[in-house]
Amino acid sequence: MYHLIIDCDPGHDDIIASMVAMAHPETFDILGFTTVAGNQTLEKVTNNLLRVQTLLETDYPVSMGYDAPIIKALEVQPKAHGESGLDGPILPEAKRTVTGLHAIEFMKETLENSSEKVTFLCIGPLTNMALFLKTYPHLKEKIQAIAIMGGAVNGGNIQLKSEFNIYHDPEAAKIVFGSGAKVIMAGLEVCYAGSILLSEAEEANGRGRASQLFYDLMKFYGRYAVDRGWDRTAIFDMTPLIYLLRPELFETKEYEVHVELNGEYTRGMTVVDLAKTEDLIHPATVLWDVKREEFIQTLFEALDILDKRYQ
Ligand code: RIB
Ligand code: CA
């Protein structure tokens, strides 16, 4: 059982990852969500999560975090996620509201009150996670793992060598990777390896409330691939979540991961030290590869479980 806090910037793939977690209460005791500015402003990503919870009739606590990176200016991503941050589905107005606690205060209270260690799923910029670790360092011992979607072994999706979540707040990422907490890194390469075929996503149409939300999300989110003539697209944020659920689908390696802060072309790059295999200091568990078919099957099984809740 993972006692889980999901730190996110919804974001289409953030919502899909969260739905997979919601479908498996036998594995994930979701303690709450914290939101962070990234794909869109803090207000927009928070409202998106509240509206999705209204649609899915869930009521997990939601606490708002930081509205900007530690040093960098906020750079939202309307191209990928739209002006709302969750363009595509028609969502009800939110009938839920936030806790009123700041995200790091929610994290603090949750860890202090939990008799078990807590796992973080961090699928947006790492601003909240980093500043929680800096503000309450004594609570690091209550952290089981920090599973992140971020970085890359070699690539980039926002800059030549930088992935969006890390690029958006490199200082925060450096704090998290260097914290000594157990970090699980789902970088771009493993996310691409688990890409969904656009034809597979089509199968979700009309199957049920959760599947329909997924289908409507993918209709907008998949445009990026359609416009480029690709037959598939990566649902980035569900990768670390499905690793927690089904680790046997993945190949992993242990490496030290450093974050570049100063390069003119490489600020926000994760430097995975492939040359160092001994005497590692704060190594991360780097997800290296995944069995694509079973990975995607896990997604559809989760959607089926959720659909049955609304029948
Ligand atoms: O690079 C992919 C990441 O950036 C995902 O978390 C997506 O939601 C965006 O935030
Ligand atoms: Ca995200």
Side-chain angles (χ1 to χ4, degrees):
M1 175 68 84
Y2 289 99
H3 306 284
L4 192 68
I5 292 177
I6 300 176
D7 188 59
C8 55
D9 62 336
H12 295 66
D13 52 336
D14 302 69
I15 294 300
I16 296 167
S18 301
M19 287 203 284
V20 177
M22 292 174 189
H24 288 281
E26 82 291 343
T27 305
F28 300 111
D29 166 26
I30 300 175
L31 301 174
F33 289 82
T34 49
T35 53
V36 63
N39 284 320
Q40 263 298 346
T41 63
L42 178 65
E43 288 69 25
K44 287 184 178 181
V45 301
T46 304
N47 189 44
N48 291 336
L49 180 57
L50 294 171
R51 295 177 73 176
V52 166
Q53 286 220 66
T54 302
L55 175 71
L56 296 179
E57 299 176 35
T58 56
D59 205 9
Y60 300 103
V62 177
S63 301
M64 298 172 74
Y66 288 92
D67 63 1
I70 295 172
I71 301 290
K72 258 172 83 327
L74 180 59
E75 291 180 46
V76 295
Q77 294 304 309
K79 282 185 188 168
H81 300 276
E83 275 310 313
S84 73
L86 206 67
D87 281 17
I90 309 288
L91 297 170
E93 287 307 311
K95 292 196 180 76
R96 307 287 191 271
T97 185
V98 295
T99 62
L101 280 176
H102 187 280
I104 70 168
E105 297 310 315
F106 173 80
M107 291 174 176
K108 172 190 180 279
E109 287 196 7
T110 303
L111 267 67
E112 284 178 340
N113 296 335
S114 175
S115 57
E116 306 287 333
K117 287 196 171 187
V118 172
T119 296
F120 288 87
L121 178 73
C122 294
I123 47 181
L126 290 165
T127 317
N128 291 343
M129 193 72 250
L131 293 179
F132 169 72
L133 288 167
K134 278 292 183 190
T135 308
Y136 300 109
H138 66 289
L139 288 174
K140 187 176 73 175
E141 63 187 26
K142 292 293 289 286
I143 298 175
Q144 179 169 345
I146 302 172
I148 79 164
M149 189 281 131
V153 175
N154 191 24
N157 64 351
I158 187 80
Q159 299 262 316
L160 192 60
K161 289 290 186 182
S162 304
E163 177 279 328
F164 176 76
N165 285 338
I166 306 300
Y167 168 78
H168 190 90
D169 198 338
E171 280 73 18
K174 195 170 196 71
I175 290 167
V176 172
F177 277 99
S179 68
K182 177 172 175 50
V183 174
I184 298 163
M185 171 182 152
L188 290 177
E189 289 86 359
V190 69
C191 294
Y192 291 140
S195 290
I196 187 169
L197 300 177
L198 299 177
S199 57
E200 288 170 330
E202 286 292 318
E203 294 165 19
N205 193 11
R207 284 178 24 179
R209 188 181 308 185
S211 291
Q212 195 60 49
L213 173 59
F214 169 77
Y215 176 80
D216 294 342
L217 286 167
M218 288 303 295
K219 268 300 173 200
F220 184 87
Y221 182 75
R223 287 162 31 270
Y224 191 84
V226 171
D227 293 351
R228 286 155 183 78
W230 302 345
D231 70 346
R232 67 192 66 198
T233 191
I235 304 176
F236 297 97
D237 289 341
M238 72 177 189
T239 309
L241 190 280
I242 294 179
Y243 170 73
L244 296 176
L245 180 63
R246 301 222 163 112
E248 69 278 9
L249 301 184
F250 293 79
E251 178 189 357
T252 67
K253 297 187 179 189
E254 300 290 313
Y255 288 116
E256 289 182 8
V257 179
H258 310 288
V259 181
E260 176 58 63
L261 298 181
N262 302 306
E264 183 180 349
Y265 299 101
T266 54
R267 175 166 159 75
M269 174 181 179
T270 48
V271 181
V272 180
D273 190 347
L274 302 177
K276 188 174 180 185
T277 54
E278 295 177 346
D279 305 324
L280 299 178
I281 303 165
H282 303 331
T285 298
V286 179
L287 305 190
W288 200 256
D289 199 2
V290 66
K291 295 173 181 172
R292 193 198 76 85
E293 284 67 26
E294 292 94 322
F295 177 76
I296 296 302
Q297 185 56 33
T298 302
L299 165 64
F300 282 106
E301 285 169 2
L303 295 174
D304 285 346
I305 291 168
L306 293 178
D307 285 340
K308 289 183 174 62
R309 291 183 189 170
Y310 306 106
Q311 287 170 351

